[in-house]
């Protein structure tokens, strides 16, 4: 007998709930302490609990609960002390000296001996950063040390880093989870299995991971941070993650009150939850909180400039695509007004260097004119180009397809799994692709590195294979400029040159959208959408 999709979902959720209940019992997260347990689902799953390999937002959000580094970011992306109490930067901008706290302890483990823990010292950072750049480890985060010459522990509480050249964005790089401190004896004991047996210093400690099913973290009783009133953080006793792979099923769990938090907006439930202008529907206003804020994420379409396809090589066609659809209309119909139309280039709103006038606005007649010019110059009477996307962004690509058909350009939309698309994009196997760029650190250089010719994919992030001598020169010059206003002008110039060549089609600057149950407080948002549970309470 063939079961209907509804029946299959019901059966799947029933089995899932049984597993969820059993595992909850096994971990003693009983119902009378439910207000101390924060529950959420991660539909995209997680790959690792090792910060050196934490390359996705999902991995970072979990590692953020388990690990600390020298510095950290607040909700406005200001750089604050973490394990480092304070630091000094030399006059030449190349030497960073960090003074460490002496009251930070690793999570308890039998290998630490009778006390089951020990204090973090500067040599732990020496080990952690050496491990990050170790070729045998092959950590994807090793690039954050590209500008580092050497580092050393001067004593237990002083750690020094020397750069090969001034790099004003470097302190922001150190806030990334790649640069977290880990204990040598534990990492050496587990080897590659450290990914599933993490020991850090964070507000929560690892308890149990049933891959693809459930992850449980418990409160770190020795955590070093306190709130403004001197109360020890975190407030919660535990964090419980599940891994339902379907966004609609995740929403059903949230609507039924089985999980406390829902991140992002998905086509499967956006109209159920939000009005057309991005407000919570009346049926949810009494049970759900909606949190919304800026997100340093630019969604875009990119072109592979080394393609043999005439349409992809033509700046006329690339500019026509930029002019040929209404970004504002797209955001209203497909995102319920969540996000901002990307009319100002690649650098998103909120980063120095963003300029609202360097991009493209909706000019259908201009798009038609450019396409006609291409036909005359190339002799191609029916220009067409293939756009490759993942299923999550199919609706956007189909919208653009319909709009460009009106101005005379045939867009063929091809759908690939996300992992397949990433590989094809890196290896130059697709002429035009949908992608996104989320800030890794708080400087527009992070965005503009994608235009630098020495960063050609697959060895770097220049998926376009864009090469421009002026862009390269300005990009290199940016490392020697410490004045933020001068760097801002330089960044705008680089972005403007990329837009003039139309090597990409910026679609929109995203927004962080979070939904919580009404009894959840203290979550907030931040522009890199990193989950921070230190201050969360459940009433």
């Amino acid at each position: 007998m063939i079961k209907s999709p509804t029946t299959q979902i019901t059966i799947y959720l029933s089995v899932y709930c049984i597993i969820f209940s059993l595992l909850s019992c096994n971990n003693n997260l009983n119902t009378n302490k439910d207000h101390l347990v924060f529950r959420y689902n991660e539909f995209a799953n997680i790959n690792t609990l090792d910060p050196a390999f934490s390359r996705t937002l999902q991995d970072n959000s979990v590692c953020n609960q388990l690990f600390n580094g020298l510095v950290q970011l607040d909700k406005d992306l200001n750089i604050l002390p973490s394990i480092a109490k304070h630091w000094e930067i030399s006059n030449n901008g190349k030497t960073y000296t960090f003074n460490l706290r002496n009251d930070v302890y690793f999570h308890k483990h039998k290998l630490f001996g009778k006390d089951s823990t020990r204090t973090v010292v500067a040599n732990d950072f020496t080990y952690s950063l050496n491990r990050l750049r170790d070729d045998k480890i092959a950590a994807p985060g090793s690039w954050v040390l590209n500008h580092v010459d050497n580092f050393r522990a001067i004593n237990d509480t002083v750690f020094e880093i020397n750069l090969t050249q001034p790099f004003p964005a470097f302190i922001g790089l150190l806030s990334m989870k790649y640069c977290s401190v880990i204990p040598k004896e534990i990492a050496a004991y587990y080897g590659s299995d450290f990914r599933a047996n993490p020991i850090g210093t964070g507000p929560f400690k690892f308890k149990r991971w049933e891959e693809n099913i459930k992850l449980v973290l418990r409160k770190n009783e020795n955590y070093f941070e306190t709130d403004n009133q001197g109360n020890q953080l975190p407030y919660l006793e535990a964090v419980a993650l599940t891994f339902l792979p379907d966004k609609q099923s995740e929403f059903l769990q949230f609507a039924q009150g089985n999980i406390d938090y829902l991140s992002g907006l998905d086509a499967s439930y956006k109209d159920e939850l939000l009005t057309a202008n991005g407000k919570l529907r009346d049926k949810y206003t009494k049970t759900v909180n909606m949190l919304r804020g800026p997100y340093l994420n630019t969604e875009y379409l990119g072109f592979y400039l080394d393609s043999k396809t005439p349409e992809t090589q033509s700046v006329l066609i690339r500019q026509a695509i930029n002019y040929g659809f209404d970004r504002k209309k797209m955001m209203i119909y497909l995102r319920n007004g969540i996000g901002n139309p990307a009319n100002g280039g690649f650098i998103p709103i909120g980063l120095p260097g963003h300029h609202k006038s360097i991009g493209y606005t909706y000019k259908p007649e201009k798009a038609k004119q450019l396409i006609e010019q291409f036909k005359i110059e190339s002799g191609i009477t029916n220009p067409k180009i293939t756009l490759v996307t993942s299923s999550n962004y199919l609706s956007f690509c189909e919208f653009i397809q319909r709009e460009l058909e009106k101005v005379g350009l045939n867009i063929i939309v091809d759908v690939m799994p996300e992992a397949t698309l990433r590989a094809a994009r890196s290896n130059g196997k697709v002429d035009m692709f949908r992608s996104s760029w989320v800030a890794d650190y708080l400087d527009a250089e992070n965005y503009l590195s994608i235009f630098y010719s020495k960063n050609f994919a697959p060895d770097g992030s220049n998926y376009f294979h864009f090469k421009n001598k002026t862009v390269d020169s300005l990009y290199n010059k940016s490392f020697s400029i410490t004045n933020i206003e001068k760097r801002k002008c330089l960044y705008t110039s680089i972005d403007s040159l990329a837009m003039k060549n139309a090597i990409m089609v910026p679609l929109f600057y995203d927004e962080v959208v979070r939904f919580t149950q009404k009894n959840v407080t203290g979550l907030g948002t931040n522009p890199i959408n990193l989950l921070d549970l230190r201050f969360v309470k459940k009433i």
Side-chain angles (χ1 to χ4, degrees):
M1 181 177 70
I2 298 175
K3 297 180 177 66
S4 70
T6 303
T7 304
Q8 288 177 322
I9 290 174
T10 302
I11 292 172
Y12 178 74
L13 287 175
S14 298
V15 173
Y16 166 79
C17 288
I18 293 171
I19 295 172
F20 183 92
S21 299
L22 288 172
L23 287 171
S24 295
C25 291
N26 286 341
N27 286 286
N28 296 318
L29 304 181
N30 43 43
T31 53
N32 65 337
K33 289 189 176 182
D34 184 70
H35 67 289
L36 296 174
V37 181
F38 186 82
R39 305 177 189 274
Y40 76 98
N41 183 70
E42 187 48 77
F43 85 98
N45 217 321
I46 59 171
N47 306 298
T48 183
L49 300 176
D50 184 339
F53 292 83
S54 183
R55 62 191 305 174
T56 69
L57 177 61
Q58 296 77 31
D59 294 344
N60 278 329
S61 287
V62 175
C63 284
N64 196 44
Q65 318 313 320
L66 295 169
F67 299 96
N68 297 97
L70 290 164
V71 297
Q72 61 184 324
L73 304 174
D74 68 7
K75 64 182 179 62
D76 299 315
L77 301 187
N78 298 305
I79 297 170
L80 301 179
S82 183
I83 295 178
K85 294 185 295 184
H86 53 84
W87 57 91
E88 294 84 36
I89 304 173
S90 64
N91 290 335
N92 65 6
K94 294 169 64 174
T95 300
Y96 291 68
T97 305
F98 298 88
N99 291 272
L100 310 185
R101 301 176 64 123
N102 60 4
D103 60 348
V104 180
Y105 298 90
F106 286 114
H107 300 153
K108 290 183 178 181
H109 195 281
K110 62 183 180 181
L111 288 179
F112 288 131
K114 65 176 184 178
D115 294 329
S116 299
T117 186
R118 70 166 175 82
T119 309
V120 173
V121 294
N123 266 328
D124 292 311
F125 280 99
T126 303
Y127 170 75
S128 299
L129 296 187
N130 273 326
R131 179 176 181 264
L132 188 61
R133 63 173 14 171
D134 187 342
D135 291 339
K136 294 179 181 178
I137 299 293
S142 62
W143 64 268
V144 302
L145 302 178
N146 284 350
H147 297 278
V148 174
D149 182 20
N150 60 74
F151 41 81
R152 61 177 180 143
I154 294 178
N155 55 45
D156 281 353
T157 58
V158 179
F159 184 67
E160 182 182 274
I161 300 177
N162 292 289
L163 306 186
T164 56
Q165 66 181 77
F167 183 39
F170 178 69
I171 193 72
L173 282 177
L174 292 177
S175 70
M176 297 180 69
K177 302 322 294 181
Y178 291 137
C179 299
S180 300
V181 68
I182 66 172
K184 178 179 179 179
E185 55 266 63
I186 307 297
Y189 176 77
Y190 285 111
S192 61
D193 285 337
F194 185 77
R195 66 175 290 279
N197 296 276
I199 294 292
T201 60
F204 296 92
K205 58 187 179 182
F206 173 71
K207 178 66 176 179
R208 183 175 182 178
W209 185 18
E210 298 277 344
E211 293 200 41
N212 304 312
I213 298 175
K214 188 177 182 70
L215 172 66
V216 177
L217 310 177
R218 299 302 296 263
K219 179 178 181 175
N220 175 14
E221 304 89 344
N222 293 324
Y223 191 57
F224 61 94
E225 288 190 295
T226 60
D227 64 17
N228 290 334
Q229 286 73 46
N231 299 309
Q232 187 186 28
L233 298 173
Y235 304 127
L236 296 165
E237 286 293 331
V239 180
L241 282 76
T242 52
F243 301 102
L244 269 175
D246 178 67
K247 286 290 286 183
Q248 187 171 14
S249 300
E250 179 182 79
F251 172 69
L252 289 173
Q253 288 293 300
F254 178 75
Q256 292 167 11
N258 295 327
I259 56 177
D260 300 305
Y261 162 71
L262 186 67
S263 179
L265 201 61
D266 188 76
S268 64
Y269 60 76
K270 68 179 181 66
D271 293 324
E272 162 70 14
L273 197 53
L274 299 181
T275 63
N277 61 354
K279 304 293 184 182
L280 272 177
R281 292 197 179 275
D282 290 342
K283 63 186 289 187
Y284 291 105
T285 54
K286 292 183 179 180
T287 58
V288 173
N289 291 319
M290 179 180 174
L291 308 172
R292 183 174 170 180
Y295 188 11
L296 298 184
N297 173 32
T298 301
E299 299 287 340
Y300 69 94
L301 308 179
F303 300 98
Y304 180 61
L305 302 183
D306 281 342
S307 166
K308 304 301 181 184
T309 306
E311 288 87 343
T312 309
Q313 292 180 336
S314 172
V315 68
L316 299 174
I317 292 295
R318 300 197 305 265
Q319 288 178 341
I321 293 172
N322 269 288
Y323 283 123
F325 66 100
D326 189 338
R327 291 166 175 81
K328 183 176 181 180
K329 179 180 175 183
M330 179 181 72
M331 298 307 294
I332 292 172
Y333 285 110
L334 299 180
R335 292 270 298 183
N336 294 62
I338 303 295
N340 295 285
N343 296 321
F346 188 49
I347 301 173
I349 296 171
L351 273 186
H354 170 82
H355 198 290
K356 62 182 180 180
S357 66
I358 66 172
Y360 294 83
T361 55
Y362 180 46
K363 296 180 179 178
E365 294 304 317
K366 178 70 172 177
K368 288 180 183 178
Q369 175 189 337
L370 291 167
I371 292 169
E372 288 303 316
Q373 185 178 344
F374 170 80
K375 290 179 180 180
I376 294 169
E377 293 180 4
S378 67
I380 298 173
T381 58
N382 184 29
K384 60 183 177 181
I385 190 168
T386 298
L387 167 58
V388 182
T389 182
S390 61
S391 58
N392 287 341
Y393 287 85
L394 179 59
S395 59
F396 288 90
C397 295
E398 288 180 337
F399 173 86
I400 293 167
Q401 178 188 46
R402 291 191 297 269
E403 294 299 298
L404 290 173
E405 187 178 8
K406 298 174 185 176
V407 297
L409 182 61
N410 182 18
I411 299 287
I412 302 165
V413 178
D414 188 12
V415 179
M416 287 183 182
E418 186 66 42
T420 306
L421 174 55
R422 283 199 301 267
R425 179 192 65 192
S426 294
N427 291 293
K429 302 297 184 183
V430 287
D431 289 347
M432 184 181 180
F433 53 87
R434 200 252 16 126
S435 191
S436 60
W437 191 268
V438 182
D440 289 319
Y441 51 93
L442 310 180
D443 194 281
E445 184 275 335
N446 181 205
Y447 278 80
L448 303 180
S449 64
I450 202 170
F451 304 142
Y452 188 48
S453 66
K454 291 185 179 181
N455 289 338
F456 272 19
D459 299 321
S461 56
N462 188 339
Y463 308 116
F464 324 103
H465 280 208
F466 174 59
K467 187 172 184 177
N468 182 287
K469 289 183 178 179
T470 304
V471 166
D472 285 353
S473 175
L474 292 174
Y475 179 77
N476 287 322
K477 184 179 179 181
S478 71
F479 294 113
S480 62
I481 298 176
T482 56
N483 181 284
I484 186 60
E485 289 302 318
K486 291 182 179 178
R487 284 216 315 279
K488 178 180 175 180
C489 292
L490 186 146
Y491 290 159
T492 302
S493 297
I494 296 173
D495 201 4
S496 179
L497 284 168
M499 290 303 103
K500 182 179 179 180
N501 285 274
I503 66 172
M504 61 165 58
V505 183
L507 300 178
F508 62 92
Y509 312 119
D510 209 352
E511 286 187 279
V512 173
V513 183
R514 294 175 170 180
F515 305 94
T516 71
Q517 306 294 348
K518 276 290 186 184
N519 65 335
V520 174
T521 64
L523 183 61
T525 67
N526 58 77
I528 56 174
N529 203 18
L530 188 66
L531 193 61
D532 182 356
L533 299 178
R534 289 174 298 169
F535 299 92
V536 170
K537 291 181 180 179
K538 286 177 63 178
I539 301 170

